[in-house]
């Protein structure tokens, strides 16, 4: 057969058109959907292979092979099939890469593969039928082959079927936190054979779908209609010398007042008495974890808060009973501790400017009136509007003074208080509610001096009232400017008068002469 006729026989007009159309579509799609480029590349290669196959078929005809010769039919049929597969891939890239994403209809990888597989088989059967193959025979043989393959690939098929079931049942989906046996993590992908979990600790776990199907899967933190959350517990031990309700309140109040990041504010954290053990009672801080990927980090933050809350309430975390006996018997150790604490208090007081003029005796007396009140990073030391009347003396860490800006819920930072500062003088000296919220920027070491202790020292040193009122007025001015966006210069002009007024008020509150 002449080459021209052979080419015309191999490339029907439809096929001739389909090549440029396909290549143009692939080029356009590659630009529109970069994510689908791999599939489009495959489509391009298949189209190229189809063209080579058709040329080969034409060559066979020029060599004298008839249209019904078996070898020609197979060659031609395979070439046509490659062309069909190229078209299917280009169509799939359009559907999966452009149309479905635009409609926000996500399709799982398994379903995509399944649709493609059905289309491939359909194309193969159509082409085979077209080339005159005996379809009944093919189907019968393929059923046999399928049975043999299925038998020899039992495990793989178990995984594949598992994957399909997981998809169809949607028991869990990518993004869910699940626990399978010992393993726990966020589901990244459910594929034909396996499901991948990201443990959040730098590992990816690949679990065969069949083992997921066989075992129990816990989808963590997914209760119907609620945002993901997980109930956690952080146990701690306390000696029996304190009332359980006192311990529970100290911990629960601190955690509720400022839940650490990752802990749900609603429902709020709580604390329970878990057990009566030998030498100590076992408690647990309980909370709903919102950030499921930070189990350990959040638990650690909760422990830090528990530690500080207990320290503020003067409650001791218990240590193993053997060490109790040793330390309690050791009076030297007790004495050394007491001395160290006294030194720390004296240093804290000596670090505050306004106490510089006090005698050693006065500082010692004052030190005896202090109560240790440490705060963990993120905790509020005091809150705007609270009715409290004690003074805090900061000896370590840093605290941020914040107020609500006029008319808004947003906080505005007014000042930073460092070691050597005091706070709370306003409410203490004027009897007004707290003027600002003060939050620990990092762990803050501070002591609390209550009203009676403060009154004592003022009675001995009335000049202190003046020094404090000067600072107080200055701070008030800053607060006012921050709240109202006031012109600071205008406020400063009234500073002198304001201090005079305030001082006489303080004198009368604390019954000071002068
Ligand atoms: P009090 O009003 O009792 O409680 C909040 C405390 O924040 C307040 O006392 C001051 O001690 C402190 N405070 C308020 N404004 C400032 C400021 N401008 N600079 C430093 N500390 C401040």
């Amino acid at each position: 057969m002449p080459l021209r006729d052979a080419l015309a026989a191999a490339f029907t007009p439809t096929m001739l058109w389909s090549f440029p159309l396909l290549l143009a579509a692939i080029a356009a799609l590659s630009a529109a959907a970069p994510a689908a480029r791999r599939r489009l590349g495959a489509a391009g290669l298949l189209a190229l292979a189809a063209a080579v196959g058709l040329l080969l078929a034409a060559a066979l005809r020029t060599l004298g092979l008839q249209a019904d010769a078996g070898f020609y039919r197979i060659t031609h049929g395979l070439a046509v099939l490659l062309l069909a597969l190229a078209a299917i891939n280009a169509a799939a890239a359009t559907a999966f890469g452009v149309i479905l994403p635009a409609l926000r209809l996500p399709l799982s990888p398994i379903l995509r593969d399944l649709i493609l597989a059905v289309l491939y088989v359909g194309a193969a059967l159509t082409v085979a039928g077209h080339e005159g193959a005996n379809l009944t025979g093919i189907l019968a043989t393929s059923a046999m082959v399928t049975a043999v393959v299925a038998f020899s690939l039992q495990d793989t098929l178990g995984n594949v079927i598992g994957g399909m079931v997981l998809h169809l049942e949607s028991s869990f989906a990518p993004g869910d936190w699940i626990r399978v046996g010992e393993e726990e993590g966020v589901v990244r992908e459910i594929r034909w054979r396996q499901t991948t979990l990201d443990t959040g600790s730098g590992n990816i776990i690949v679990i065969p779908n069949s083992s997921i199907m066989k075992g129990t899967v816990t989808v963590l933190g997914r209760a119907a209609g609620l945002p993901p959350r997980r109930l956690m517990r952080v146990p701690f031990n306390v000696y029996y010398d304190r009332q359980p309700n006192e311990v529970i309140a100290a911990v629960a109040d601190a955690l509720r007042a400022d839940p650490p990041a990752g802990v749900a504010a609603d429902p709020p954290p709580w604390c329970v008495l878990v057990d009566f053990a030998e030498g100590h009672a076992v408690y647990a801080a309980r909370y709903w974890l919102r950030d499921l990927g930070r189990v350990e980090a959040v638990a650690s933050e909760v422990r830090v808060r528990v530690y500080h809350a207990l320290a503020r309430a003067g409650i001791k975390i218990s240590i193993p009973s053997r060490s109790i006996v040793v330390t309690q018997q050791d009076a030297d150790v007790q004495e050394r501790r007491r001395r160290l604490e006294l030194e720390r208090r004296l240093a804290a007081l000596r670090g505050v400017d306004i106490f510089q003029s006090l005698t050693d005796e006065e500082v010692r007396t004052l030190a005896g009136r202090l109560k240790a009140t440490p705060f963990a990073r993120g905790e509020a030391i005091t809150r705007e509007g609270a009715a409290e009347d004690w003074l805090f003396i900061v000896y370590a860490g840093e605290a941020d003074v914040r107020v609500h800006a006029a008319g808004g819920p947003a906080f505005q930072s007014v000042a930073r208080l460092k070691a050597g500062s005091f706070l709370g003088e306003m409410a203490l000296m004027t009897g007004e509610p707290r003027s600002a919220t003060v939050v620990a920027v990092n762990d803050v070491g501070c002591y609390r001096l209550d009203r009676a202790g403060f009154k004592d020292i003022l009675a001995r040193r009335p000049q202190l009232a003046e020094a404090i009122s000067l600072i107080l007025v200055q701070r008030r001015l800053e607060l006012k400017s921050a709240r109202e966006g006031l012109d600071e210069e205008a406020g400063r002009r009234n500073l002198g008068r304001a201090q005079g007024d305030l001082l006489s008020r303080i004198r009368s509150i604390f019954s000071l002469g002068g």
Side-chain angles (χ1 to χ4, degrees):
M1 182 187 253
L3 182 61
R4 224 186 121 105
D5 295 348
L7 283 174
F11 289 85
T12 62
T14 333
M15 269 184 237
L16 267 183
W17 274 111
S18 56
F19 277 106
L21 273 179
L22 203 56
L23 293 179
I26 289 173
L29 278 167
S30 307
R37 275 191 193 147
R38 241 180 81 186
R39 190 173 291 287
L40 290 168
L45 282 178
L46 285 168
L48 194 70
V52 172
L54 289 172
L55 286 174
L56 197 64
L60 290 175
R61 290 300 294 276
T62 57
L63 293 177
L65 247 64
Q66 292 303 310
D68 54 359
F71 192 49
Y72 171 77
R73 284 199 151 173
I74 291 175
T75 313
H76 189 260
L78 279 178
V80 174
L81 181 59
L82 289 174
L83 188 59
L85 296 186
I88 290 173
N89 270 289
T94 318
F96 303 151
V98 181
I99 301 175
L100 290 181
L103 296 176
R104 294 186 190 285
L105 285 176
L107 200 62
S108 67
I110 289 193
L111 274 182
R112 286 180 196 189
D113 291 353
L114 208 59
I115 293 171
L116 275 180
V118 169
L119 291 175
Y120 285 173
V121 172
L125 290 177
T126 312
V127 171
H130 205 259
E131 296 294 338
N134 172 5
L135 281 188
T136 332
I138 291 180
L139 286 177
T141 329
S142 58
M144 262 274 291
V145 172
T146 310
V148 172
V149 170
F151 189 70
S152 53
L153 294 179
Q154 267 180 30
D155 279 353
T156 311
L157 281 175
N159 285 329
V160 170
I161 291 168
M164 282 166 65
V165 173
L166 288 179
H167 266 281
L168 294 176
E169 289 192 338
S170 315
S171 307
F172 56 84
D176 281 341
W177 271 87
I178 64 168
R179 181 165 50 219
V180 185
E182 301 278 286
E183 311 297 354
E184 199 179 301
V186 67
V187 178
R188 281 278 164 259
E189 214 179 16
I190 306 172
R191 304 280 327 191
W192 277 105
R193 219 184 57 75
Q194 79 276 12
T195 295
T196 41
L197 295 191
D198 187 342
T199 59
S201 53
N203 299 329
I204 292 280
I205 305 177
V206 180
I207 308 179
N209 288 334
S210 58
S211 29
I212 293 187
M213 295 300 294
K214 277 183 216 143
T216 306
V217 177
T218 312
V219 182
L220 298 162
R222 201 178 68 189
L226 292 172
R229 56 180 204 170
R230 192 170 155 191
L231 185 57
M232 307 299 292
R233 76 203 291 270
V234 166
F236 59 94
N237 304 332
V238 165
Y239 293 123
Y240 284 114
D241 61 346
R242 300 301 286 256
Q243 293 274 353
N245 279 335
E246 208 184 342
V247 178
I248 288 172
V251 169
D253 289 352
L255 288 175
R256 282 171 192 204
D258 301 287
V263 170
D266 182 27
W270 68 102
C271 178
V272 287
L273 173 58
V274 180
D275 196 10
F276 293 117
E278 199 185 317
H280 60 252
V282 182
Y283 295 84
R286 310 228 56 193
Y287 57 95
W288 289 96
L289 178 71
R290 272 283 154 75
D291 192 346
L292 302 186
R294 293 178 58 238
V295 176
E296 258 184 14
V298 176
S300 157
E301 192 73 11
V302 168
R303 278 187 199 102
V304 171
R305 296 290 175 90
V306 169
Y307 174 90
H308 283 86
L310 293 178
R312 283 200 295 276
I315 299 171
K316 280 212 194 97
I317 291 180
S318 101
I319 41 175
S321 50
R322 248 175 304 132
S323 0
I324 303 170
V325 176
V326 174
T327 42
Q328 279 182 349
Q329 281 174 353
D330 192 344
D332 282 357
V333 172
Q334 294 282 337
E335 178 53 26
R336 211 169 50 234
R337 274 209 194 126
R338 210 188 51 74
R339 261 207 324 272
L340 271 176
E341 175 59 22
L342 179 65
E343 273 164 25
R344 196 180 306 146
R345 286 172 181 224
L346 294 177
L349 290 171
R350 285 273 175 236
V352 182
D353 274 352
I354 54 160
F355 295 141
Q356 295 300 326
S357 60
L358 301 188
T359 63
D360 279 353
E361 170 62 24
E362 282 165 340
V363 174
R364 275 181 179 274
T365 315
L366 194 54
R369 309 291 299 248
L370 299 180
K371 179 174 185 284
T373 46
F375 287 89
R377 176 185 55 188
E379 280 189 304
I381 298 172
T382 190
R383 283 173 205 280
E384 194 174 341
E388 301 167 347
D389 62 353
W390 47 81
L391 186 79
F392 288 106
I393 294 159
V394 179
Y395 67 86
E398 227 175 287
D400 195 33
V401 182
R402 301 171 184 176
V403 282
H404 281 104
F411 267 120
Q412 188 176 342
S413 178
V414 184
R416 282 281 168 113
L417 296 174
K418 296 198 165 79
S421 330
F422 58 86
L423 64 110
E425 77 291 346
M426 293 190 183
L428 170 63
M429 297 180 82
T430 64
E432 290 166 5
R434 293 287 194 211
S435 61
T437 297
V438 184
V439 177
V441 177
N442 36 39
D443 290 355
V444 167
C446 69
Y447 290 111
R448 187 174 125 174
L449 177 65
D450 61 17
R451 199 178 156 80
F454 187 71
K455 203 171 168 190
D456 269 6
I457 191 74
L458 273 198
R460 289 178 193 216
R461 288 285 181 145
Q463 316 83 295
L464 271 183
E466 202 158 331
I468 296 181
S469 69
L470 197 64
I471 294 174
L472 194 160
V473 169
Q474 175 64 37
R475 287 181 171 181
R476 265 206 175 161
L477 177 69
E478 286 167 11
L479 274 187
K480 205 162 154 58
S481 317
R483 258 204 208 101
E484 300 166 10
L486 205 75
D487 168 14
E488 230 176 274
E489 201 40 52
R492 199 160 287 136
R493 266 182 256 125
N494 294 329
L495 197 72
R497 190 158 50 81
Q499 197 204 347
D501 292 350
L502 195 80
L503 202 52
S504 44
R505 216 165 120 204
I506 292 168
R507 284 198 175 116
S508 79
I509 290 178
F510 288 92
S511 340
L512 302 171

